[in-house]
């Protein structure tokens, strides 16, 4: 299946709307070596469009882990739930930062399932967040932190 090319203008709209944060793990694109990808929340292969309302900014790892998934199993309820969708869900309703500000904690079934499915707390990213925390560029402003 041919994928439609997303115009540079539309890509920039997605970046601006996301404030240059991966809309899943909240990594900041400004501190990365490569530009983040534009993710189709509902994959084209499953009938999703390339319109602004179906696009999200995603770091390479989140995009690679998400692939064409729409749902995953919540480890607490052991039920299948929809993954976090930044066009429909508010990040702060589903996630908070741990007290040490390095791990993402899921506060809902959707949050927990997304953390596992997208490997949001993989060892390498924990190290990056810890380093970014030391120099004052993590966590993103306004993100909730566990009390």
């Amino acid at each position: 299946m041919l994928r439609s090319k997303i115009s540079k203008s539309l890509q920039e709209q997605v970046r601006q709307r996301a404030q240059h944060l991966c809309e899943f793990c909240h990594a900041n694109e400004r501190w990365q070596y490569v530009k983040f990808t534009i993710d189709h929340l509902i994959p084209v292969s499953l009938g999703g469009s390339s319109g602004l309302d179906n696009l999200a900014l995603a770091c390479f790892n989140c995009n690679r882990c998400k692939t064409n998934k729409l749902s995953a199993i919540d480890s607490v309820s052991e039920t299948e739930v929809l993954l976090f969708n930044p066009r429909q869900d508010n990040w702060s309703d589903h996630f908070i930062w741990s007290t040490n500000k390095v791990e993402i904690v899921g506060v809902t079934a959707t949050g927990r399932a997304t953390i596992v499915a997208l490997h949001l707390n993989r060892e390498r990213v924990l190290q990056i967040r810890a380093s970014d925390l030391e120099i004052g560029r993590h966590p993103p402003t306004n993100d909730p932190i566990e009390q």
Side-chain angles (χ1 to χ4, degrees):
M1 168 182 276
L2 288 175
R3 294 192 66 173
S4 61
K5 181 144 175 72
I6 300 169
S7 72
K8 295 282 185 197
S9 167
L10 187 53
Q11 289 181 46
E12 189 54 32
Q13 286 180 58
V14 172
R15 282 189 163 74
Q16 292 295 324
R17 178 181 61 199
Q19 300 177 333
H20 296 273
L21 296 178
C22 171
E23 295 190 70
F24 300 99
C25 72
H26 272 197
N28 194 318
E29 182 181 44
R30 290 181 176 109
W31 316 124
Q32 308 303 313
Y33 293 110
V34 295
K35 287 185 109 174
F36 287 172
T37 59
I38 306 299
D39 177 61
H40 288 83
L41 296 166
I42 299 173
V44 173
S45 63
L46 298 177
S49 76
S50 291
L52 185 61
D53 61 339
N54 189 46
L55 300 176
L57 190 63
C59 69
F60 174 79
N61 286 301
C62 285
N63 191 301
R64 181 177 50 96
C65 291
K66 183 177 171 287
T67 61
N68 67 346
K69 295 180 186 101
L70 298 176
S71 63
I73 303 297
D74 169 37
S75 59
V76 173
S77 66
E78 298 182 354
T79 60
E80 186 172 6
V81 298
L82 292 175
L83 292 176
F84 173 74
N85 180 328
R87 299 290 69 77
Q88 297 173 353
D89 303 318
N90 181 344
W91 197 90
S92 298
D93 291 341
H94 297 279
F95 308 103
I96 60 174
W97 291 103
S98 61
T99 54
N100 70 4
K101 303 177 186 173
V102 174
E103 288 188 57
I104 298 175
V105 177
V107 295
T108 65
T110 290
R112 291 185 298 267
T114 301
I115 288 169
V116 172
L118 276 56
H119 306 281
L120 299 186
N121 289 320
R122 62 196 175 282
E123 188 58 37
R124 177 70 181 126
V125 80
L126 295 178
Q127 294 168 358
I128 292 167
R129 289 177 191 151
S131 295
D132 284 349
L133 180 64
E134 286 181 19
I135 58 174
R137 60 183 189 201
H138 179 80
T141 307
N142 300 325
D143 278 3
I145 299 168
E146 194 173 52
Q147 297 301 315

